[in-house]
């Protein structure tokens, strides 16, 4: 039987990390003495690698100040995780759906703008580590929408593009899937609007966990 691979984004797809991202971003900009972007702008860049996200949020800042924001964000996010104030709740029904997919023989993966350390912490916190055979993060690959993370996931799983789907909540996820020639599936509970996901190439946008499970199974 050929390998069926379902690759998930993390923030905005598996879990709701918006509050943690916004709080760390506010702290990072305050650290360098620059005005913080509005939370609605921060929502738009979730999923990109951190340097690319900062460039989009503050193109007017010189390179050295953008670098300082990146470092301050990492420090703020790590501190929130270590002191127990970071909240990244799973979306309701996600853990159960992953267990069912795994039980039906799906190989599961993650492709995320998080760091490797951040993803490992999130998966461990929710008891999900054992479900994912392949995980790829922005600190080891070019930022989405570059298809490198999906190519690596398919190589790990020995899966073909036609047997692979990418599930995500942002245009960056969908564009990455299109670039890798895999099936792009959107979810409505994340950070970009359904019509944006469809315009970017999503085959459909799930409104509920049950709908997502059916779309993955095809």
């Amino acid at each position: 039987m050929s390998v069926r691979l379902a690759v998930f984004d993390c923030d905005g797809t598996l879990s709701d990390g918006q509050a943690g991202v916004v709080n760390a971003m506010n702290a990072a900009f305050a650290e360098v003495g620059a005005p913080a972007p509005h939370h609605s702008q921060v929502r738009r860049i979730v999923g990109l690698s951190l340097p690319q996200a900062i460039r989009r949020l503050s193109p007017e800042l010189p390179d050295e100040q953008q670098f300082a924001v990146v470092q301050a964000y990492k420090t703020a996010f790590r501190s929130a995780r270590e002191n127990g104030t970071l909240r990244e709740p799973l979306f309701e029904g996600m853990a159960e759906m992953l267990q069912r997919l795994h039980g039906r023989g799906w190989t599961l993966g993650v492709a995320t703008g998080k760091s490797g350390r951040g993803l490992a912490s999130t998966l461990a916190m929710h008891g999900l580590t054992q479900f994912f055979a392949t995980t790829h993060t922005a600190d080891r690959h070019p930022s989405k929408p570059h298809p490198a993370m999906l190519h690596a996931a398919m190589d790990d799983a020995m899966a073909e593009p036609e047997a692979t789907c990418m599930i995500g909540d942002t245009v960056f996820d969908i564009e990455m899937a299109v670039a890798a020639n895999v099936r792009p599936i959107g979810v409505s509970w994340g950070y970009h609007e359904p019509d944006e996901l469809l315009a970017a190439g999503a085959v459909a946008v799930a409104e509920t966990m049950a709908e997502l499970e059916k779309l993955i199974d095809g």
Side-chain angles (χ1 to χ4, degrees), residues 143-155:
S143 177
K144 298 175 184 179
H146 193 284
M149 284 193 277
L150 282 176
H151 288 156
M154 287 187 284
D155 286 346

Side-chain angles (χ1 to χ4, degrees), residues 80-131:
R81 182 183 297 114
E82 290 173 351
N83 66 29
T85 61
L86 181 63
R87 296 290 179 266
E88 296 179 296
L90 284 185
F91 290 104
E92 185 176 356
M94 180 59 73
E96 294 81 2
M97 187 196 69
L98 293 172
Q99 188 168 15
R100 289 192 297 270
L101 291 171
H102 188 264
R104 291 202 295 275
W106 279 92
T107 298
L108 304 180
V110 179
T112 176
K114 280 182 170 296
S115 68
R117 179 186 295 179
L119 176 62
S121 175
T122 299
L123 297 182
M125 178 194 313
H126 296 296
L128 300 180
T129 305
Q130 73 275 15
F131 293 130

Side-chain angles (χ1 to χ4, degrees), residues 137-176:
T137 54
D139 53 353
R140 294 190 287 128
H141 295 283
S143 177
K144 298 175 184 179
H146 193 284
M149 284 193 277
L150 282 176
H151 288 156
M154 287 187 284
D155 286 346
D156 289 345
M158 295 185 289
E160 297 299 326
E162 58 269 21
T164 301
C165 59
M166 172 70 204
I167 302 97
D169 67 295
T170 70
V171 167
F172 315 126
D173 299 314
I174 303 304
E175 290 176 344
M176 178 175 64

Side-chain angles (χ1 to χ4, degrees), residues 37-60:
H38 192 268
H39 65 83
S40 61
Q41 294 175 283
V42 176
R43 281 174 57 92
R44 301 293 304 172
I45 56 80
V46 173
L48 295 174
S49 68
L50 189 53
Q52 186 168 338
I54 299 303
R55 282 196 296 273
R56 288 203 182 196
L57 288 172
S58 55
E60 74 287 353

